[in-house]
Amino acid sequence: LMENEEKSRQELDIYILLEDFLRQALRMWLVGLVLILVCSVGWTFLQKRSYFPVYEAHASFTVRVANPLYGSISSYNEKTAQVMADTFPSILTSDLLRRRVMEELGISGMPPMTVMASAQSSILTLSVRDTDPQRAYDVLHAVIACYPEVSEFVVGATALVLLDESGVPQTPVNPISYRGPAIKGAALGAAGWCALIVLLIIMRNTVHNEKELRRTLNISCLGQLPAVKISGKTA
């Protein structure tokens, strides 16, 4: 019996809190709307301020190596392509190639570069990403031009045969979307509004029934006045 009474009291408390929350939310709906709009616009503005477009220039090519039997440059098979793909990253990250490219272009740093080997052919794809589309394109071609000179010390005489290229990139690979930041900002505003309502409910310390009156003021209830609606208003 005691457990049932305790459970009923907890359910009643939850119902009262929910009722208070909804009543206070109706009173503060305009505050909530303003807070949601301000947070949505503000978060979107912050994301726009911190956004930097990144452009990618890429090129596909094959590598031709010196044939010791004929003393010329010739193509190689898929197995050799994979070997080149394994050694290509180490040559790309070498200080020698970086310095050579930076000297060629007159820049102080190198943007990120990646290389992939096709599993079905002896084709390599080199990609360069930078916030400046023209610089990404220039670095790509400088690497292709300087690579044979540097790789000669590692794999012998080579030549890169360009098959396809992207040209100067026109659109970023990380386009900004305003929908996501706007929704996130609105959610933060709604959460702040709900937290404000809960804080006001806690600070009000309203007495809802006889038990709360006895627990809060330690006095007995002498009587109650019913709520009567007159012309749409509660008296």
Side-chain angles (χ1 to χ4, degrees), residues 125-139:
T125 301
L126 174 64
S127 301
V128 179
R129 290 191 174 188
D130 200 298
T131 55
D132 185 343
Q134 185 62 52
R135 184 167 55 195
Y137 180 77
D138 293 341
V139 169

Side-chain angles (χ1 to χ4, degrees), residues 164-184:
D164 184 30
E165 64 160 81
S166 62
V168 179
Q170 301 297 323
T171 58
V173 294
N174 61 335
I176 186 172
S177 173
Y178 294 106
R179 182 179 179 181
I183 293 176
K184 188 173 182 179

Side-chain angles (χ1 to χ4, degrees), residues 118-197:
S118 174
Q120 305 298 329
S121 63
S122 58
I123 298 176
L124 299 175
T125 301
L126 174 64
S127 301
V128 179
R129 290 191 174 188
D130 200 298
T131 55
D132 185 343
Q134 185 62 52
R135 184 167 55 195
Y137 180 77
D138 293 341
V139 169
L140 175 71
H141 279 268
V143 169
I144 294 175
C146 298
Y147 178 80
E149 176 185 338
V150 177
S151 65
E152 186 173 1
F153 300 99
V154 181
V155 295
T158 60
L160 301 186
V161 181
L162 187 63
L163 302 177
D164 184 30
E165 64 160 81
S166 62
V168 179
Q170 301 297 323
T171 58
V173 294
N174 61 335
I176 186 172
S177 173
Y178 294 106
R179 182 179 179 181
I183 293 176
K184 188 173 182 179
L188 291 175
W193 177 52
C194 292
L196 179 61
I197 292 175

Side-chain angles (χ1 to χ4, degrees), residues 72-88:
S72 61
I73 302 293
S74 62
S75 61
Y76 59 104
N77 56 26
E78 180 181 337
K79 183 176 180 180
T80 309
Q82 188 59 51
V83 173
M84 291 295 297
D86 294 337
T87 60
F88 203 87

